[in-house]
């Protein structure tokens, strides 16, 4: 286990507990260890923290009152959404002196406006419910990720979530029109507007996108909706090398610009894990290939099939299957959405969430393989990701015969090898998962010093007492 390592002095936390409990009422708090447990650990159990109290406010006013109370007593706050984050940003530290503010009871869809093509949701709305509300109005909210049944829209803002439809619609940053947030002094920033154009001053809402709870608590979000893309065709492609995926993507985009919604790369190893650990998972091909791509396209089936036949004739892909029914589509996507869970069941692995320019994917993979062979030959790469965004989850497992005593050292060496390469190639050590606690050191080491200094200045200006999610990001 890794301690979040930012124990702040208890600084009066016990003294404000009665006030905090009174703000939210009986339904809005717990200190019951059994109820707290799932909120104190990140989902792979790598970081476990403590808290004297978890608050579940149900209004923005309650959030503001909580923050004011904590600010006066200089008590730290950790905002938490669905706790599906990959970097332990939503977990309190080990001091037992940080108040956990879980947003799940702020769960109202405040408005869906068809003319504006916008939706206003409170921060604790589960992403899948936001998507359903858009759908019920005949529109489409494109953010899609495997955790959408439990992550919250406020968490999606706070992490600038990506997922499978970034290729066509962008990340959360591109989808936010406005937001409401409680600042570290307890004041409410009401920026909850659905304007498409607004150049009146700094674009403050964007400051909160990707801020991981360090600048304030997001309480509501206004997002863009899109026309329903219509029936989707789902296909899985089999490839001999990953570079072929980039070429296939370029070819398909030429033929169906704006109609390609998802284009996901899956290596042979993550596919093996899924087939091994996920009940009823089945390889749609008779053979095991080195690489697979799973795609969604909003085109008639015949158009996709003809494009895939051409790709096969040009030997850009080795094989392809197109789902013929909703059940087949679901089965193909289940393979993709089960990868994280299958990795977890496979055993301890080292996760990375890197990005490089899309055209450099093959060069990155070749160089990464070479470096791992030279520096950590005990590692087996487990690669999948959002190839159309240049974002790979370049994960690795160490061979089972590696002695326990060597795991930490080899894991660190492996991560260094990957991050050095990414940095040399002008890429990012965090494409969509954020920094939280787990990548804080890496950001310090590989981040741009001028950018880091500007981030610290912003943090100090908005949160001079350092009460908002301290110890995370910077
Ligand atoms: P949490 O985990 O609760 O919090 C994440 C961070 O945001 C923390 O720092 C927390 O303090 C802060 N925060 C949460 N809510 C608020 C708020 N209201 N105000 C201020 N700060 C807040 N991510 C992707 O981008 N793409 C993927 O494809 C993807 N796939 C995933 C698949 C699985 C199986 C899992 C488990 C996770 C995946 N994730 C993915 C990561 C995760 O789902 C996203 O980061 C998501 O946006 C986190 O939302 P959450 O509500 O769970 O946030
Ligand atoms: C995904 O793309 O499935 C995720 O970002 C989750 C992960 O990396 O495990
Ligand atoms: Zn991802």
């Amino acid at each position: 286990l890794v301690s979040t390592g930012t124990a702040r002095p208890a600084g009066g936390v016990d003294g404000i507990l009665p006030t905090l409990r009174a703000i939210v009422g009986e339904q809005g708090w717990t200190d019951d260890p059994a109820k707290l447990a799932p909120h104190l650990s990140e989902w792979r159990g790598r970081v476990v923290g403590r808290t004297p109290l978890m608050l579940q406010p149900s209004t923005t006013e309650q959030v503001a009152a909580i923050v004011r109370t904590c600010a006066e007593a200089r008590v730290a706050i950790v905002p938490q959404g669905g706790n599906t984050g990959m970097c332990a940003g939503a977990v309190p530290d080990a001091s037992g002196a940080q108040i956990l503010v879980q947003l799940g009871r702020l769960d109202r869809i405040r408005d869906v406006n068809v003319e504006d093509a916008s939706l206003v949701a409170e921060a604790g709305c589960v992403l899948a419910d936001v998507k359903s509300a858009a759908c019920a109005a005949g529109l489409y909210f494109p953010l899609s990720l495997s955790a959408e049944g439990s992550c919250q829209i406020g968490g999606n803002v706070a992490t600038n979530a990506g997922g499978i439809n970034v290729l066509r619609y962008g990340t959360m940053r591109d989808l936010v029109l406005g937001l409401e947030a409680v600042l570290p002094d307890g004041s409410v920033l009401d920026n909850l507007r659905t304007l498409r154009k607004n150049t009146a001053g700094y674009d403050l809402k964007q400051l909160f996108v990707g801020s991981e709870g360090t600048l304030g608590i997001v309480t509501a979000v206004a997002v863009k909706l899109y026309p329903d893309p219509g029936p989707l065709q789902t296909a899985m492609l089999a490839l001999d090398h990953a570079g072929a995926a980039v070429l296939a993507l370029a070819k398909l985009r030429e033929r169906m610009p704006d109609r390609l919604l998802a284009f996901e790369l899956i290596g042979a190893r993550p596919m093996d894990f899924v087939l091994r650990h996920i009940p009823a998972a089945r390889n749609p091909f008779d053979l095991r290939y080195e690489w697979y791509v799973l795609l969604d396209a909003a085109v008639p089936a015949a158009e996709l099939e003809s494009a895939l036949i051409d790709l096969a004739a040009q030997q850009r892909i080795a094989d392809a299957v197109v789902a013929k029914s909703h059940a087949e589509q679901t089965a193909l996507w289940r393979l993709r959405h089960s990868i994280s869970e299958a990795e977890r069941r496979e055993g301890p692995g080292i996760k990375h969430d890197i990005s490089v320019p899309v055209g450099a994917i093959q060069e990155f993979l070749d160089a990464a393989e070479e470096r791992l062979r030279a520096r950590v030959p005990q590692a087996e790469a487990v690669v999948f990701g959002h190839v159309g965004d240049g974002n790979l989850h370049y994960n690795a497992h160490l061979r089972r015969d590696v002695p326990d005593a060597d795991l930490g050292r080899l894991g660190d060496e492996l991560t260094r090898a990957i991050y050095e390469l990414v940095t040399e190639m002008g890429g990012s050590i965090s494409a969509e998962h954020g920094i939280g606690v787990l990548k804080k050191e890496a950001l310090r080491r590989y981040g741009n010093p001028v950018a880091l200094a500007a981030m610290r200045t912003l943090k100090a200006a908005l949160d001079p007492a350092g009460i908002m999610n301290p110890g995370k990001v910077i």
Side-chain angles (χ1 to χ4, degrees), residues 51-111:
T51 186
L53 187 65
M54 179 171 81
L55 299 169
Q56 293 183 300
S58 60
T59 64
T60 300
E61 293 69 32
Q62 288 182 4
V63 177
I66 291 166
V67 175
R68 269 196 308 275
T69 305
C70 289
E72 277 161 23
R74 297 173 88 86
V75 165
I77 294 172
V78 179
Q80 186 179 88
N83 197 19
T84 67
M86 290 281 176
C87 303
V91 175
D93 72 11
S95 68
Q98 300 189 324
I99 298 294
L100 189 57
V101 178
Q102 205 277 344
L103 280 307
R105 288 173 75 224
L106 273 173
D107 62 353
R108 285 166 290 262
I109 303 282
R110 291 192 192 162
D111 189 36

Side-chain angles (χ1 to χ4, degrees), residues 241-246 291 356-368 425:
H241 57 100
V246 178
W291 297 98
V356 292
V358 178
I361 289 277
Q362 184 68 58
E363 182 192 339
F364 168 79
L365 286 168
D366 290 343
M425 292 182 69

Side-chain angles (χ1 to χ4, degrees), residues 43 79-86 89-90 103 123 145-147 151-152 154-156 158-159 161-163 212-213 216-218 340 386 432-433 469:
W43 80 290
Q80 186 179 88
N83 197 19
T84 67
M86 290 281 176
L103 280 307
L145 37 134
S146 310
C151 66
Q152 299 175 3
N156 301 145
T159 55
E212 300 184 54
I217 301 184
V218 176
S340 310
H386 318 283
E432 59 170 9
H433 292 165
N469 218 1

Side-chain angles (χ1 to χ4, degrees), residues 257-433:
D258 288 350
R259 309 305 292 164
L260 204 54
L261 271 61
F263 198 86
E264 296 283 304
L265 184 71
I266 307 174
R269 278 204 191 96
M271 183 67 106
D272 291 344
F273 291 179
V274 170
L275 299 176
R276 191 176 305 148
H277 296 293
I278 304 299
R282 191 182 75 72
N283 183 353
F285 301 102
D286 293 333
L287 298 177
R288 177 185 190 267
Y289 288 93
E290 281 307 305
W291 297 98
Y292 306 86
V293 160
L294 184 57
L295 67 86
D296 268 348
V299 292
E303 194 179 328
L304 179 62
E305 280 166 9
S306 138
L308 296 180
I309 288 168
D310 289 351
L311 283 177
Q314 294 157 8
Q315 300 190 325
R316 291 182 193 277
I317 59 177
D319 201 352
V321 292
V322 179
K324 293 290 180 218
S325 63
H326 183 66
E328 286 186 12
Q329 279 183 316
T330 307
L332 287 180
W333 272 106
R334 189 161 171 265
L335 296 171
R336 169 64 183 89
H337 289 311
S338 304
I339 294 176
S340 310
E341 181 55 30
E343 274 189 313
R344 185 161 68 158
R345 293 187 193 179
E346 181 70 16
I350 300 140
K351 283 178 86 76
H352 304 110
D353 165 41
I354 63 94
S355 59
V356 292
V358 178
I361 289 277
Q362 184 68 58
E363 182 192 339
F364 168 79
L365 286 168
D366 290 343
E369 196 183 325
E370 204 173 292
R371 289 196 190 191
L372 289 198
R373 210 180 304 126
R375 288 170 65 169
V376 193
Q378 305 88 335
E380 290 171 343
V382 179
V383 184
F384 64 99
H386 318 283
V387 66
D389 314 325
N391 173 194
L392 293 179
H393 300 303
Y394 195 94
N395 303 339
H397 281 242
L398 293 169
R399 278 201 326 256
R400 287 182 192 280
D401 58 1
V402 171
D404 284 357
D406 293 345
L407 291 177
R409 181 182 55 80
L410 291 175
D412 289 350
E413 175 64 7
L414 192 153
T415 295
R416 256 197 307 277
I418 300 302
Y419 286 173
E420 281 168 19
L421 176 62
V422 164
T423 306
E424 285 162 33
M425 292 182 69
S428 170
I429 58 141
S430 177
E432 59 170 9
H433 292 165

Side-chain angles (χ1 to χ4, degrees), residues 60-61 63-65 68 180-183 185-191 219:
T60 300
E61 293 69 32
V63 177
R68 269 196 308 275
E180 177 188 88
V182 176
L183 303 184
D185 63 358
S187 56
V188 179
L189 173 70
D190 181 358
N191 195 210
T219 48

